[in-house]
Coordinates of all heavy atoms in Angstrom, one line a residue:
Q23 N -14.0 16.5 -13.6 CA -14.3 17.9 -13.8 C -15.2 18.4 -12.6 O -15.0 19.5 -12.1 CB -15.2 18.1 -15.1 CG -14.3 18.0 -16.3 CD -15.2 18.1 -17.6 OE1 -16.4 17.8 -17.5 NE2 -14.6 18.5 -18.7
D24 N -16.2 17.6 -12.2 CA -17.1 18.0 -11.1 C -16.3 18.1 -9.8 O -16.8 18.8 -8.9 CB -18.2 16.9 -11.0 CG -19.1 16.9 -12.2 OD1 -19.1 17.9 -13.0 OD2 -19.9 16.0 -12.2
S25 N -15.3 17.4 -9.6 CA -14.6 17.4 -8.3 C -13.3 18.3 -8.3 O -12.7 18.4 -7.2 CB -14.2 16.0 -7.9 OG -13.3 15.4 -8.8
A26 N -13.0 18.9 -9.4 CA -11.7 19.6 -9.5 C -11.6 20.8 -8.5 O -10.6 20.9 -7.8 CB -11.5 20.2 -10.9
A27 N -12.7 21.6 -8.3 CA -12.6 22.7 -7.4 C -12.5 22.1 -5.9 O -11.8 22.7 -5.1 CB -13.9 23.5 -7.5
F28 N -13.3 21.0 -5.6 CA -13.2 20.4 -4.3 C -11.8 20.0 -4.0 O -11.3 20.2 -2.9 CB -14.2 19.2 -4.3 CG -14.1 18.3 -3.1 CD1 -14.5 18.8 -1.8 CD2 -13.5 17.1 -3.2 CE1 -14.4 18.0 -0.7 CE2 -13.4 16.3 -2.1 CZ -13.9 16.7 -0.9
L29 N -11.1 19.3 -4.9 CA -9.8 18.8 -4.7 C -8.8 19.9 -4.6 O -7.8 19.8 -3.8 CB -9.4 17.8 -5.8 CG -10.1 16.5 -5.9 CD1 -9.7 15.7 -7.1 CD2 -9.9 15.7 -4.6
R30 N -8.9 21.0 -5.3 CA -8.0 22.1 -5.2 C -8.0 22.7 -3.8 O -7.0 23.2 -3.3 CB -8.3 23.2 -6.2 CG -7.7 22.9 -7.6 CD -7.8 24.2 -8.5 NE -9.2 24.6 -8.7 CZ -10.0 24.2 -9.6 NH1 -9.6 23.2 -10.5 NH2 -11.2 24.7 -9.7
G31 N -9.1 22.6 -3.1 CA -9.3 23.1 -1.8 C -8.8 22.2 -0.7 O -8.9 22.6 0.5
L32 N -8.3 21.0 -1.0 CA -7.9 20.1 0.0 C -6.4 20.0 0.1 O -5.7 20.2 -0.9 CB -8.4 18.7 -0.3 CG -9.9 18.5 -0.3 CD1 -10.3 17.1 -0.7 CD2 -10.5 18.8 1.1
P33 N -5.9 19.7 1.3 CA -4.4 19.6 1.5 C -3.9 18.2 1.1 O -3.3 17.5 1.9 CB -4.2 19.9 2.9 CG -5.5 19.4 3.6 CD -6.5 19.7 2.6
V34 N -4.2 17.8 -0.1 CA -3.8 16.4 -0.6 C -2.7 16.6 -1.6 O -2.7 17.6 -2.4 CB -4.9 15.6 -1.1 CG1 -5.9 15.2 0.0 CG2 -5.6 16.2 -2.3
P35 N -1.7 15.7 -1.6 CA -0.6 15.8 -2.6 C -1.2 15.6 -4.0 O -2.1 14.9 -4.2 CB 0.4 14.7 -2.2 CG -0.4 13.8 -1.4 CD -1.5 14.5 -0.8
R36 N -0.5 16.3 -5.0 CA -0.9 16.1 -6.4 C -0.6 14.7 -6.9 O -1.3 14.2 -7.8 CB -0.2 17.1 -7.3 CG -0.4 18.5 -7.0 CD -1.7 19.1 -7.6 NE -1.7 19.0 -9.0 CZ -2.9 18.9 -9.7 NH1 -4.0 18.9 -9.1 NH2 -2.9 18.9 -11.0
D37 N 0.4 14.0 -6.3 CA 0.8 12.7 -6.7 C 0.9 11.8 -5.5 O 2.0 11.6 -4.9 CB 2.1 12.7 -7.4 CG 2.5 11.4 -8.0 OD1 1.8 10.4 -7.9 OD2 3.6 11.3 -8.5
P38 N -0.2 11.2 -5.0 CA -0.2 10.4 -3.8 C 0.6 9.2 -3.9 O 1.0 8.6 -2.9 CB -1.7 10.1 -3.5 CG -2.4 10.4 -4.7 CD -1.6 11.4 -5.5
A39 N 0.9 8.7 -5.1 CA 1.7 7.5 -5.3 C 3.2 7.8 -5.5 O 4.0 6.8 -5.8 CB 1.2 6.7 -6.5
A40 N 3.6 9.0 -5.3 CA 5.0 9.3 -5.6 C 6.0 8.5 -4.7 O 7.0 8.0 -5.2 CB 5.3 10.8 -5.3
A41 N 5.7 8.3 -3.4 CA 6.5 7.5 -2.5 C 6.6 6.1 -3.0 O 7.7 5.5 -2.9 CB 6.1 7.6 -1.1
L42 N 5.5 5.5 -3.4 CA 5.5 4.2 -3.9 C 6.4 4.0 -5.2 O 7.1 3.0 -5.3 CB 4.1 3.7 -4.2 CG 3.2 3.5 -3.0 CD1 1.7 3.2 -3.5 CD2 3.6 2.4 -2.1
R43 N 6.2 5.0 -6.1 CA 7.1 4.9 -7.3 C 8.6 5.1 -6.9 O 9.4 4.4 -7.5 CB 6.6 6.0 -8.3 CG 5.5 5.5 -9.1 CD 5.3 6.5 -10.3 NE 4.7 7.7 -9.9 CZ 3.4 7.9 -9.6 NH1 2.6 6.9 -9.7 NH2 2.9 9.1 -9.2
A44 N 8.9 5.9 -6.0 CA 10.3 6.0 -5.5 C 10.8 4.7 -5.0 O 12.0 4.3 -5.3 CB 10.4 7.1 -4.5
C45 N 10.0 4.0 -4.2 CA 10.4 2.7 -3.7 C 10.6 1.7 -4.8 O 11.5 0.9 -4.9 CB 9.4 2.2 -2.7 SG 9.5 3.1 -1.1
T46 N 9.7 1.7 -5.8 CA 9.8 0.8 -7.0 C 11.1 1.1 -7.8 O 11.8 0.2 -8.2 CB 8.6 1.0 -7.9 OG1 7.4 0.7 -7.1 CG2 8.6 0.1 -9.1
E47 N 11.4 2.4 -8.0 CA 12.6 2.7 -8.7 C 13.8 2.3 -7.9 O 14.8 1.9 -8.5 CB 12.6 4.2 -9.0 CG 11.5 4.6 -10.1 CD 11.3 6.1 -10.2 OE1 12.1 6.9 -9.7 OE2 10.4 6.5 -10.9
A48 N 13.8 2.5 -6.6 CA 14.9 2.1 -5.8 C 15.2 0.6 -5.7 O 16.3 0.1 -5.5 CB 14.8 2.7 -4.4
M49 N 14.1 -0.2 -6.0 CA 14.2 -1.6 -5.9 C 15.3 -2.2 -6.8 O 16.0 -3.2 -6.5 CB 12.9 -2.3 -6.3 CG 12.8 -3.7 -5.9 SD 13.0 -4.1 -4.2 CE 11.4 -3.7 -3.5
V50 N 15.6 -1.6 -8.0 CA 16.6 -2.1 -8.9 C 18.0 -1.9 -8.2 O 19.0 -2.6 -8.6 CB 16.6 -1.3 -10.3 CG1 15.3 -1.6 -11.0 CG2 16.9 0.1 -10.1
Q51 N 18.1 -1.1 -7.2 CA 19.4 -0.9 -6.5 C 19.6 -1.9 -5.3 O 20.7 -2.0 -4.8 CB 19.6 0.5 -6.0 CG 19.6 1.5 -7.2 CD 19.5 3.0 -6.6 OE1 20.0 3.2 -5.5 NE2 18.9 3.9 -7.4
A52 N 18.5 -2.5 -4.9 CA 18.6 -3.4 -3.8 C 19.4 -4.6 -4.1 O 19.2 -5.3 -5.1 CB 17.1 -3.8 -3.4
T53 N 20.3 -4.9 -3.3 CA 21.2 -6.1 -3.6 C 21.1 -7.2 -2.5 O 21.7 -8.3 -2.7 CB 22.7 -5.6 -3.6 OG1 23.0 -5.0 -2.4 CG2 22.9 -4.6 -4.8
T54 N 20.4 -6.9 -1.4 CA 20.3 -7.9 -0.4 C 18.8 -8.2 -0.1 O 18.0 -7.3 -0.3 CB 21.0 -7.5 0.9 OG1 20.2 -6.4 1.5 CG2 22.4 -7.1 0.7
P55 N 18.4 -9.3 0.4 CA 17.1 -9.5 0.9 C 16.6 -8.5 1.9 O 15.4 -8.1 1.8 CB 17.1 -10.9 1.5 CG 18.2 -11.6 0.8 CD 19.3 -10.5 0.6
A56 N 17.5 -8.1 2.8 CA 17.1 -7.0 3.7 C 16.7 -5.7 3.1 O 15.7 -5.1 3.5 CB 18.2 -6.8 4.7
E57 N 17.4 -5.4 2.0 CA 17.1 -4.1 1.3 C 15.8 -4.3 0.5 O 15.0 -3.4 0.5 CB 18.2 -3.8 0.3 CG 19.5 -3.4 1.0 CD 20.7 -3.3 0.2 OE1 20.7 -3.7 -1.0 OE2 21.7 -2.8 0.7
V58 N 15.5 -5.4 -0.1 CA 14.3 -5.7 -0.8 C 13.1 -5.6 0.3 O 12.1 -4.9 0.0 CB 14.3 -7.1 -1.5 CG1 12.9 -7.5 -1.9 CG2 15.2 -7.1 -2.6

Side-chain angles (χ1 to χ4, degrees):
Q23 288 176 336
D24 292 348
S25 64
F28 170 73
L29 291 175
R30 277 193 300 274
L32 296 177
V34 295
R36 297 280 299 152
D37 185 4
L42 292 172
R43 275 194 287 284
C45 288
T46 301
E47 290 169 10
M49 192 61 78
V50 299
Q51 298 172 29
T53 60
T54 68
E57 292 167 351
V58 169

